[in-house]
Amino acid sequence: MDLAEKNVFHHKITEALGVNAKDATLSLTFLVVSFTALLIGGVLGLLQGLNRAGLFELPAWFDYYQTLTAHGILLLLVFTTTFAVGYFYAALSHTLGGLLPKVRNMGWIAFGCMVIGVVFVAATIIAGEASVMFTFYPPMQASPWFYIGLVFLVVGIWIAAFGAFINVAHWRKKHKGQHIPLLAFFATGVFVMLVFGSIGVAVEVLTLIPWAFGWKETINVMLSRTLFWSFGHTLVNIWYLTAISAWYVAVPKIIGGKGFSDALTRLVVILLVILNIPGGFHHQIVDPGITESWKFIHVFMSLSIGFPSLMTAFAMFAVFERTGRRKGGKGLLGWFKKLPWGDVRFLAPFIAMAAFIPGGAGGIAQTNNQLNQVVHNSLWVVGHFHLTVGVTVALTFFGISYWLIPYLSKRKFTPQINRLGIIQTILWTVGMLFMAGSMHAVGLLGSPRRTSYTTYGNHQAALSWDPYLIFLAIGGTLLIVAVLLMVYIAVHLMFFAPKGKTEFPIAEQEADAYPAPKWTERWGLTIVLLIAIVAMGYVVPIIEILDVPGSPPFRTW
């Protein structure tokens, strides 16, 4: 029995045994928090959109900047991270024969740390003590308990990551000479990026806490921003790697096809892990104190992510074409019509893939020094985030939820929920087109980000933004309907759908696919290369800004 046959045999045994109930409870609990964050963050997003359009005045006790801070943290950090942990823990349980008891306990400890962190962060925002936005740039100073909450979040992420590493190492010890199952390989890559990517922000937060308590008079603003973006830039690609894991592994199975190449897929994961972190300066192109040469190096590293992205685009559309032609598609594009457009488990991630084309192009524009000067502090950047995270990542997560939640809850994904899912996907897509499209356009006209509604004394330029901001509000209204529908679907699939069996879709590889080389399993080598490239990208510029004069705290609200 060769390696491919062993993997297929193992998958069939796992399917027959079904989901481990204790593991399923852990993953579902993470998903409950994820969708709760989506609901609250979505409501706050609507309020922001209506305010930016001049249609709604937020109350003084919870103003625009509190709303903006909570919206960003809930959706960009809590929703995405808890979903990724719940999803990958379910994947590890399914592909590795269940979570080890100590790993399951670590998962619960990680969950507890994250919940404590969210409570601390949310309480300080609600109390009006932390209107510092998602990026929490100093010298704006939040309550020290806000930063302590962030410490709990990071610690929770690390505990979850090391739990995953322990489970994978245990499986490898018992299956010497075999490749880690592909979805577990993705999970390993994501958790490696979470650990190494969050080191910088952990150091930043630990320096902010004594400053916030008043034990230090000043803070090194440039160092703090640099440490933050070593994490912020990596976080974007953590979302992306989580999303493409489903594209490579689940989507081919859902459409009745096979994976393109196990070797290519593993190479994509390794490249994203190694190349990603030293790219943070492309978010700091307008920052003083960092020399142009170092910014150029980080820009190059950011653009290098385009190579595995292009490999992914090639592989996925090769899968689509092969599958469509096997189903009878003729001519140049006949295969396209044969794809299961009526299945939301395919439709949602396909739209997510398509959105990454303009989303990636926008990212390239922001990585260009001259173009970045035009759009950096404008709503263009917010539109870019909504296109990449709001469509590519969120729609893929929704697509995963349609099969993952009923698999975990031992319920059926019914035709009725499929129809609701298609409606939800269309509403979400149209809402994001309105919102992200208007943000891109009005950003080019100079409308700033991170500001509540103002006409700047009825200035002609500011008044010209109003039609675009109305479209933004329309998009936000459609999106909150889509959020409510998605939360309803998630709750229904967790608790109310008919009892039954739902498959965990894992595609087999093409029979003629080139086998993955043994060196792809050498995670030690991958991590050494990661550390070397991070050191080359960050050690010297950080040393250069260590002696920058510090700033006292400012409270702008």
Side-chain angles (χ1 to χ4, degrees):
M1 185 181 292
D2 62 21
L3 184 58
E5 289 173 332
K6 285 181 180 178
N7 287 336
V8 172
F9 181 68
H10 174 264
H11 176 62
K12 288 181 178 178
I13 290 177
T14 306
E15 284 289 345
L17 292 174
V19 63
N20 181 299
K22 293 181 179 178
D23 297 350
T25 301
L26 175 60
S27 287
L28 283 170
T29 305
F30 273 102
L31 295 178
V32 166
V33 173
S34 180
F35 281 100
T36 302
L38 174 69
L39 176 60
I40 300 171
V43 171
L44 295 176
L46 173 65
L47 297 177
Q48 282 179 254
L50 295 176
N51 178 270
R52 280 305 300 258
L55 301 175
F56 178 72
E57 185 67 31
L58 284 158
W61 52 267
F62 201 80
D63 63 24
Y64 179 83
Y65 299 98
Q66 288 170 280
T67 306
L68 178 59
T69 303
H71 172 75
I73 289 175
L74 284 172
L75 293 187
L76 294 177
L77 191 58
V78 180
F79 164 64
T80 57
T81 304
T82 52
F83 187 94
V85 174
Y87 163 54
F88 279 126
Y89 264 54
L92 291 172
S93 174
H94 180 76
T95 60
L96 304 184
L99 298 177
L100 298 172
K102 62 181 175 183
V103 171
R104 193 182 308 117
N105 290 337
M106 291 176 73
W108 283 113
I109 294 169
F111 175 79
C113 286
M114 291 182 189
V115 169
I116 292 170
V118 170
V119 169
F120 277 18
V121 168
T124 54
I125 295 171
I126 293 169
E129 297 294 327
S131 296
V132 290
M133 297 174 284
F134 160 71
T135 49
F136 54 91
Y137 290 150
M140 289 195 300
Q141 187 186 79
S143 162
W145 298 105
F146 173 85
Y147 303 117
I148 291 171
L150 294 178
V151 170
F152 275 99
L153 282 170
V154 173
V155 169
I157 289 170
W158 287 353
I159 293 171
F162 281 100
F165 299 153
I166 291 169
N167 223 101
V168 170
H170 178 267
W171 187 92
R172 291 181 67 179
K173 192 178 292 184
K174 287 184 170 292
H175 300 80
K176 292 187 181 297
Q178 294 187 34
H179 285 288
I180 304 171
L182 190 54
L183 201 49
F185 193 86
F186 270 104
T188 305
V190 166
F191 283 119
V192 166
M193 289 172 68
L194 274 168
V195 169
F196 284 93
S198 59
I199 289 173
V201 76
V203 172
E204 179 200 5
V205 170
L206 291 175
T207 64
L208 292 174
I209 289 172
W211 176 66
F213 272 117
W215 303 334
K216 287 173 56 180
E217 292 185 2
T218 62
I219 195 71
N220 187 328
V221 174
M222 277 306 306
L223 179 61
S224 294
R225 290 170 67 92
T226 300
L227 291 173
F228 174 84
W229 280 116
S230 70
F231 165 72
H233 176 74
T234 305
L235 186 61
V236 174
N237 287 293
I238 288 168
W239 302 328
Y240 174 57
L241 188 55
T242 303
I244 68 171
S245 70
W247 300 357
Y248 275 108
V249 177
V251 170
K253 178 73 171 181
I254 288 167
I255 66 175
K258 295 185 176 182
F260 178 72
S261 168
D262 186 82
L264 178 142
T265 306
R266 292 174 194 267
L267 179 59
V268 165
V269 175
I270 291 168
L271 287 175
L272 284 169
V273 170
I274 291 174
L275 298 175
N276 174 68
I277 295 177
F281 289 174
H282 101 252
H283 296 268
Q284 297 177 264
I285 287 178
V286 301
D287 282 15
I290 302 172
T291 62
E292 283 76 9
S293 58
W294 284 113
K295 289 178 181 178
F296 178 81
I297 290 171
H298 278 240
V299 163
F300 174 80
M301 294 302 298
S302 297
L303 294 175
S304 70
I305 299 298
F307 291 107
S309 296
L310 290 172
M311 292 163 66
T312 297
F314 174 81
M316 293 314 304
F317 278 87
V319 168
F320 297 155
E321 182 174 0
R322 285 182 176 183
T323 304
R325 293 198 184 283
R326 285 172 182 160
K327 292 183 175 182
K330 305 295 183 183
L332 182 63
L333 295 174
W335 57 270
F336 195 72
K337 299 176 183 178
K338 296 294 182 177
L339 298 176
W341 299 108
D343 188 339
V344 71
R345 299 172 303 164
F346 165 70
L347 179 65
F350 181 86
I351 294 173
M353 296 178 206
F356 196 66
I357 299 171
I364 291 172
Q366 290 166 210
T367 306
N368 179 289
N369 181 65
Q370 288 79 10
L371 294 179
N372 187 276
Q373 309 296 318
V374 176
V375 303
H376 182 79
N377 277 319
S378 75
L379 269 175
W380 163 287
V381 176
V382 187
H384 170 70
F385 279 167
H386 281 81
L387 195 57
T388 52
V389 183
V391 184
T392 297
V393 174
L395 271 185
T396 301
F397 285 8
F398 297 162
I400 293 170
S401 300
Y402 293 120
W403 54 261
L404 178 61
I405 294 176
Y407 166 78
L408 294 171
S409 62
K410 296 184 179 181
R411 296 180 184 274
K412 292 182 180 180
F413 178 67
T414 62
Q416 293 81 4
I417 291 298
N418 183 64
R419 285 194 292 271
L420 278 179
I422 290 173
I423 294 169
Q424 192 278 339
T425 301
I426 293 170
L427 281 172
W428 187 272
T429 303
V430 174
M432 278 296 177
L433 281 174
F434 274 105
M435 176 173 279
S438 60
M439 285 176 169
H440 278 87
V442 79
L444 290 176
L445 295 176
S447 181
R449 55 177 171 152
R450 296 172 168 168
T451 58
S452 59
Y453 178 75
T454 175
T455 63
Y456 297 94
N458 290 324
H459 191 281
Q460 185 177 358
L463 293 175
S464 72
W465 304 333
D466 284 354
Y468 299 93
L469 297 175
I470 293 296
F471 279 113
L472 185 157
I474 292 171
T477 304
L478 292 173
L479 284 168
I480 193 59
V481 176
V483 165
L484 293 172
L485 194 52
M486 188 64 229
V487 171
Y488 167 79
I489 290 170
V491 171
H492 181 82
L493 291 174
M494 286 180 187
F495 304 110
F496 302 108
K499 287 283 188 179
K501 183 179 178 181
T502 296
E503 181 185 22
F504 194 117
I506 295 181
E508 299 176 20
Q509 300 299 306
E510 292 284 358
D512 59 349
Y514 185 78
K518 291 292 185 183
W519 62 263
T520 58
E521 291 297 319
R522 297 178 63 184
W523 275 100
L525 173 62
T526 299
I527 291 171
V528 167
L529 292 172
L530 164 66
I531 293 171
I533 292 177
V534 170
M536 287 189 289
Y538 272 107
V539 170
V540 173
I542 283 179
I543 290 173
E544 290 178 350
I545 61 177
L546 282 177
D547 294 329
V548 172
S551 170
F554 286 84
R555 187 181 175 109
T556 57
W557 65 95

